[in-house]
Amino acid sequence: MKLSFTSIYTTLHAVGLVNALWPVPRNLETGTSLLKLSPSFDIQFEAGSGWSPPQDLLNAISRTKNRIWNDKLGRLVVGRGEDDREGLESASSLSLLTLELDSHSHSKSTNDDDSVGSSTSHALLPISVEAVKDIGTRSEEYSLKVPANGGPAVIRANSSLGLLRGLTTFEQLWYWLPGDVDEGDAGGIVYAHQVPVTIEKDYPAFPYRGFMLDTARNFFPVDDIKRVLDTMSLVKMSVFHWHVVDSQSFPLTIPGFEELARKGAYSRKEIYSSADVQGIVKYAAERGIDVLVEIDTPGHTAIIAKAYPEHIACPDAMPWSQYAHEPPAGQLRLASSATTNFTVSMLSSIAQTLPSTMFGTGGDEINENCYQKDPSTQEDLKRSGATLEKALDSFTQTTHGALRQLGKKVVVWQEMALNHRVSLANDTIIMVWKSSEHATEVAKKGFRIIHAPSDYFYLDCGGGEWFGNYPGTNSWCDPFKSWQKAYAFDPLASLSSAEASLVLGGQQLLWTEQASPENLDPIIWPRAAVSSEVFWTGPHHPSGQFRTVAEALHRLHDVRFRMVQRGVRAIPLQPQWCALRPGQCDSGGLPSTAWGFALKKLTKVIKRYKRIALSLTNNYLERIGYNEL
């Protein structure tokens, strides 16, 4: 068999993906050497040219150092890395990681004074500022080099957000071997096993890599939300979509509308204060995550009747299934000018406190029968001479217009673009949720798209129906959406090249009818990490190959085990026996066994050709007198 240099290089590049990074970077090159972390290891910001690091970057550096020492994750191989112990005795040690800025870094300049000869310092924009920029303008690119000889490792980026993304990749390189028995967890060796590592210009295929949490069906304390945010940051997710209120409860404190939470929350202890909201937004932004708050209108608003009954049509109407998608029934009286003004004031009051350039107004599952049976709405329609659709259009334009005046891009569910005759601004962002097939319909209308399809990304599916009088039946979106199903999603399927440019990214979602703090982590993780790679890497790996479950499984195992080490109750994907033996639990009997045998043979051949290629390269470089600078 003849192998060209190109085919050898392509094969070796693909093998480099075995390094357990999630999401997989672009242009990843790895070696086979071991590298210890020195007890004196430090991370330093390169302060050349007067650069000044923001405090949240310094905090991120501190978190990275802490995690590297405290993850204490054994390698996912038989023996959990014990076979590395002998090689580590002679391995080099890494003492320093430096963070450097490209020449086109995002900064602001400040002069000490206005006199001639005054000095100028460059204050790098904080992560928390970069993370909430307009969704299409964020810079997350970084490069990473970790040499095998113990020389300084380097992360280079042109923004603090890019440096943060590099730090999260760097964290995933390190594993742990315990020391002597009497040392316990206090001792041990922290090391990397595939150095040198080179990543050139890693950046996301799509800027929106999100997760949605519904905190209205059941309440989630702030600490639970922060744990979700920490885990999102681990895998470079960029948007936390907070579906904070719905018909069942209104736990959000809105300045000037405090009665909504007082009367609409499940209890006084289950309310997000203004300080809580600002704390969550700040915590997220410092970890590279934008918070997209959604207040669904005009549907899913029954709970508002507890504080403002004059604004809600068909409140608590029965049987609820004739008036709403879920109990209780009730929708904003969209034909009423008073209700429209109320909604504008309410949305504006909370939106102006949020740094994100996006704000969600819902628009899904509007029940027409509710309005037909509501005397007040019918009277308003008769007085104005408008149809229900015309009233919806007026309501939408007024509420969206107020948000646009605050600098917000409005995010809505797909019905607003596909099922109603409403005028939406060109920069409106549409979440496609009913089916992945509807993305093409939205794209043809020219709107930007966030993929959130229930047939791939709904994490609550598979739990069975929760309505009390339907025991043992399936829910509308069953079966369970496995990580394999989500990983197979193609963000650009059936889209033209022009339409593909409208895709901002996507997210997995958790509607919480059957979720609470007690089972939050197992439902989300590690499945929700799938969308981080789907939308960071895109449809294909940098090698050109389409993403495959077989290649991804071992890396997803690795990040799941790392999550557990950080206190996240992520569910296992397989028995640990399988996690330590990649490929040996594949289905297929004899063909699977044969494939495993062939894979071992292929690995040996690849190693052989790698040695040959390196030897030939070195001989050639010596012959032409090349010296690396």
Side-chain angles (χ1 to χ4, degrees):
M1 178 179 67
K2 297 177 66 176
L3 287 175
S4 67
F5 178 81
T6 301
S7 64
I8 293 174
Y9 175 79
T10 301
T11 304
L12 293 176
H13 184 80
V15 170
L17 294 179
V18 300
N19 199 309
L21 299 177
W22 194 281
V24 62
R26 301 170 186 273
N27 306 312
L28 171 65
E29 296 179 13
T30 62
T32 58
S33 298
L34 299 171
L35 180 68
K36 293 181 291 189
L37 200 67
S38 168
S40 61
F41 171 76
D42 196 13
I43 303 175
Q44 296 180 2
F45 177 81
E46 177 56 54
S49 303
W51 289 107
S52 174
Q55 185 59 49
D56 58 9
L57 178 58
L58 297 177
N59 293 342
I61 290 171
S62 179
R63 290 195 302 271
T64 292
K65 289 193 291 186
N66 180 66
R67 287 166 178 163
I68 290 174
W69 287 115
N70 291 300
D71 275 354
K72 291 184 167 55
L73 174 63
R75 281 218 294 134
L76 295 189
V77 294
V78 176
R80 302 305 299 271
E82 283 296 332
D83 289 345
D84 297 330
R85 195 176 292 277
E86 182 177 349
L88 285 168
E89 293 180 2
S90 58
S92 299
S93 295
L94 179 68
S95 299
L96 180 64
L97 167 65
T98 62
L99 308 185
E100 299 180 357
L101 294 171
D102 289 336
S103 57
H104 303 293
S105 300
H106 296 202
S107 64
K108 59 181 179 180
S109 298
T110 55
N111 292 323
D112 291 341
D113 56 61
D114 294 330
S115 62
V116 176
S118 64
S119 63
T120 301
S121 64
H122 301 277
L124 186 65
L125 289 178
I127 298 169
S128 56
V129 172
E130 297 281 359
V132 300
K133 285 183 174 180
D134 189 73
I135 189 67
T137 65
R138 302 168 192 171
S139 176
E140 301 181 76
E141 181 182 296
Y142 71 94
S143 297
L144 168 65
K145 291 186 178 181
V146 182
N149 62 4
V154 178
I155 295 174
R156 191 170 185 84
N158 63 10
S159 71
S160 57
L161 182 57
L163 293 174
L164 174 69
R165 300 304 186 213
L167 286 170
T168 60
T169 298
F170 184 77
E171 290 175 16
Q172 293 184 26
L173 295 174
W174 301 94
Y175 298 90
W176 179 73
L177 267 178
D180 296 335
V181 175
D182 56 353
E183 288 183 325
D185 285 353
I189 304 170
V190 175
Y191 71 103
H193 72 102
Q194 285 184 312
V195 295
V197 175
T198 301
I199 299 171
E200 289 289 348
K201 297 186 181 302
D202 187 24
Y203 60 90
F206 302 96
Y208 191 110
R209 306 174 306 281
F211 167 69
M212 190 217 77
L213 180 63
D214 158 27
T215 59
R217 270 77 177 193
N218 282 302
F219 181 84
F220 295 85
V222 171
D223 285 347
D224 286 319
I225 294 175
K226 287 183 175 180
R227 189 175 65 256
V228 169
L229 294 169
D230 279 324
T231 314
M232 290 174 65
S233 184
L234 165 64
V235 292
K236 299 183 178 65
M237 298 174 83
S238 61
V239 180
F240 175 59
H241 174 189
W242 192 1
H243 187 90
V244 62
V245 301
D246 211 290
S247 281
Q248 291 80 7
S249 76
F250 203 110
L252 176 66
T253 300
I254 297 181
F257 296 85
E258 289 83 1
E259 283 295 292
L260 286 169
R262 283 198 199 104
K263 295 185 176 179
Y266 287 126
S267 73
R268 287 165 49 182
K269 293 183 178 180
E270 295 169 294
I271 292 175
Y272 301 109
S273 68
S274 294
D276 289 334
V277 173
Q278 293 305 312
I280 288 170
V281 168
K282 181 175 183 291
Y283 192 90
E286 290 174 347
R287 286 151 181 79
I289 299 168
D290 192 7
V291 177
L292 164 60
V293 169
E294 178 196 353
I295 297 181
D296 207 342
T297 60
H300 292 272
T301 48
I303 196 66
I304 291 176
K306 301 299 181 183
Y308 299 94
E310 66 274 20
H311 294 307
I312 298 300
C314 64
D316 295 319
M318 294 295 287
W320 63 262
S321 58
Q322 295 182 16
Y323 299 91
H325 185 70
E326 285 186 5
Q331 300 177 153
L332 285 167
R333 284 181 168 138
L334 53 77
S336 163
S337 59
T339 298
T340 300
N341 293 335
F342 163 83
T343 306
V344 165
S345 297
M346 176 185 65
L347 297 181
S348 299
S349 181
I350 186 63
Q352 65 189 356
T353 70
L354 304 169
S356 178
T357 61
M358 298 182 291
F359 190 90
T361 61
D364 61 315
E365 298 178 334
I366 299 172
N367 188 289
E368 185 175 343
N369 188 54
C370 171
Y371 292 126
Q372 290 178 343
K373 300 292 179 64
D374 183 61
S376 180
T377 298
Q378 291 303 308
E379 184 178 333
D380 288 330
L381 291 173
K382 183 177 180 179
R383 184 184 305 111
S384 65
T387 63
L388 185 60
E389 281 293 303
K390 181 63 178 176
L392 175 61
D393 182 43
S394 177
F395 175 89
T396 300
Q397 289 198 51
T398 303
T399 53
H400 286 197
L403 291 169
R404 288 172 58 78
Q405 288 182 356
L406 295 174
K408 307 299 183 182
K409 305 289 193 305
V410 180
V411 182
V412 296
W413 297 105
Q414 68 177 67
E415 289 96 320
M416 297 301 284
L418 300 182
N419 300 111
H420 298 291
R421 295 185 296 276
V422 297
S423 301
L424 299 174
N426 292 335
D427 61 1
T428 304
I429 300 170
I430 311 298
M431 284 194 173
V432 177
W433 71 274
K434 286 192 171 184
S435 169
S436 56
E437 297 178 355
H438 294 154
T440 54
E441 298 177 49
V442 174
K444 290 186 187 307
K445 291 179 176 288
F447 292 112
R448 291 187 292 175
I449 296 167
I450 295 172
H451 288 295
S454 57
D455 50 337
Y456 282 89
F457 288 161
Y458 271 32
L459 298 175
D460 52 300
C461 302
E465 190 55 84
W466 56 271
F467 297 134
N469 58 337
Y470 290 116
T473 60
N474 290 334
S475 72
W476 72 274
C477 66
D478 282 358
F480 182 84
K481 301 302 181 286
S482 68
W483 77 267
Q484 295 96 327
K485 171 74 172 179
Y487 195 74
F489 182 75
D490 182 353
L492 304 180
S494 303
L495 297 176
S496 68
S497 57
E499 292 168 345
S501 65
L502 297 171
V503 177
L504 292 175
Q507 64 182 17
Q508 282 164 285
L509 310 88
L510 178 56
W511 302 103
T512 60
E513 288 91 346
Q514 295 176 295
S516 68
E518 290 73 22
N519 65 345
L520 177 65
D521 288 2
I523 294 178
I524 301 176
W525 306 115
R527 282 192 294 159
V530 167
S531 59
S532 73
E533 178 153 304
V534 168
F535 296 106
W536 180 280
T537 307
H540 300 88
H541 278 310
S543 65
Q545 300 295 316
F546 190 84
R547 288 178 279 100
T548 65
V549 167
E551 185 281 322
L553 176 57
H554 186 66
R555 293 186 295 106
L556 191 57
H557 272 309
D558 195 278
V559 79
R560 177 262 167 187
F561 273 76
R562 196 173 295 275
M563 290 175 182
V564 171
Q565 291 301 108
R566 296 185 182 185
V568 178
R569 298 181 295 276
I571 60 170
L573 302 172
Q574 291 179 313
Q576 188 173 150
W577 189 93
C578 303
L580 304 183
R581 297 166 176 83
Q584 293 193 34
C585 291
D586 293 348
S587 64
L590 182 59
S592 178
T593 302
W595 169 246
F597 177 77
L599 188 60
K600 290 181 181 179
K601 286 289 188 182
L602 178 61
T603 302
K604 290 182 179 180
V605 170
I606 289 170
K607 287 182 178 179
R608 178 187 172 202
Y609 276 109
K610 185 173 183 178
R611 289 194 298 269
I612 293 172
L614 291 175
S615 177
L616 290 173
T617 301
N618 289 334
N619 290 339
Y620 175 72
L621 294 177
E622 289 177 5
R623 211 161 40 240
I624 64 174
Y626 173 81
N627 290 310
E628 185 176 359
L629 296 179

